[in-house]
Amino acid sequence: MAVWSKRFSKELDDIAREYNSSIKVDHLMYREDITGSIAHTEMLGEKNIISEDDAEKIVNGLRSILSDIESGELEIDMNAEDIHFFVEKELTKRIGDAGKRMHTARSRNDQVVTDLRLYIRNKLDELLEDIRALSKSLIALSKENLDSIMPGYTHLQAAQPVTFAHHLMAYVQMLIRDKGRLEDARKRLNECPLGSCALATTVYDIDRFMTAKKLGFDRPTRNSMDAVSDRDFVLEVEFAISMTMIHLSRLSEEMIIWSSQEFGFIELDDSFTTGSSIMPQKKNPDMAELTRGKTGTVIGILSGMLVTMKGLPLAYNKDMQEDKKGIFECIDILSKSLKVMKGMIDTLSVKKETMLHKANHGYLVATDLADYLAERGIPFRDAYNIIGAIIKEASEKKSDLTDLPMDFYKKYSDKFDEDLYQYIKLENSLNRRKVYGGPAPETVLKQIEDTEKALE
Ligand code: ARG
């Protein structure tokens, strides 16, 4: 029988009951629901809105429900409407009339949003730890590859020499910003809606500051109508998660390319790849592909929820019950993706020789050659044009720049000299790029030091 059965003359239709029920999703918040109810009840007792005796009974009852759910002794009833009704009903079953006093000065509208904020807050702390762990793995791999020269690309065309360390560290910078976005979202969502009740607070002399403090919130929300109808904290976290997933997806795409036969820059470990049912030679980067694919799922959830919210008048509308499924899935996907990515990074092997070989054969030092002439007095644009012509002839000859004799160069400019062969060596090209943020090994080391500080 529904809580409101006295007001209604009919029971809810079966299909409507199923449609309306959210317990299959919101049962995940049982801990937060019970924690929130304990804080609310303690406050009701301390403010003498209910007797100390009833408050104690309720709190003990809630604690026993929590431990019975955790031990598996109490199974959450999937036919209940939602986790809030389930807990209240179970409480009343256990302690009788006192249980019916728990919902004084509260509504499911402020309750559900309090639960959700608590749930997301806990999960954010875990996600932030996972981001830190992955960043540390990327930094460790970077430290091993400060001198691993590889081609840097623009338009996926070989551009200039960089190192594997510099390339990986780019992702650490992205992850640090992602971490900042999640931390920001955590700060903003850490306000307590309890006491807003349905939309217009209550006539009881409750202390919202007390409940907020008990639950570790920074303060109570400032407007009761906003508190029960705001879901921007959900959207903000979904965006921050989508952004992080996009970064993981781009890194995944690189790993897919790097591990292809055509590139052969890395080999993914057997423990993070799969074989084919028909082609014995295959070693597929499924984990990276799934990360790329799940990014689509997460972005879809964000878009869906943006659309769900855009036309809702104040205050609570049942549409908002749809918020939980998506945010829970986003959190789950990011949590697993970060761990899978860390696993791939920790176990992959780097094919330094192949990277170096590719870097040596793509005219990656063409810009250096132009700089060489510019340093010797030729205006950069003229130097650029001279090198353009040199590259054209060299590629027709299928010759690398290091293999062409001095008289070839002299045809183009008398500024060329024997020292040019040293100048265009890849390691010299890299070592000259000492500008802060650049790929020279000693500069990347500085980047790593600064990044490690930023991660703390
Ligand atoms: N299960 C509901 C939700 O997730 C709880 C709030 C219900 N409030 C209401 N006025 N029906 O949104």
Side-chain angles (χ1 to χ4, degrees), residues 4 20-23 26 29 81-85 107-113 116 198 231 316-324:
W4 46 79
N20 193 44
S21 168
S22 56
I23 192 134
D26 62 29
M29 306 192 300
E81 183 180 322
D82 57 27
I83 188 64
H84 326 295
F85 274 154
S107 148
R108 276 185 304 156
N109 295 352
D110 57 342
Q111 190 180 356
V112 67
V113 76
L116 189 55
R231 292 295 182 275
Y316 179 84
N317 300 273
K318 196 64 175 254
D319 315 44
M320 293 188 302
Q321 178 165 284
E322 291 295 306
D323 59 358
K324 284 165 231 61

Side-chain angles (χ1 to χ4, degrees), residues 52-69:
E52 285 288 346
D53 186 43
D54 280 344
E56 206 184 306
K57 276 191 198 138
I58 296 172
V59 169
N60 289 338
L62 288 168
R63 292 211 172 107
S64 72
I65 293 173
L66 180 59
S67 75
D68 288 354
I69 294 176

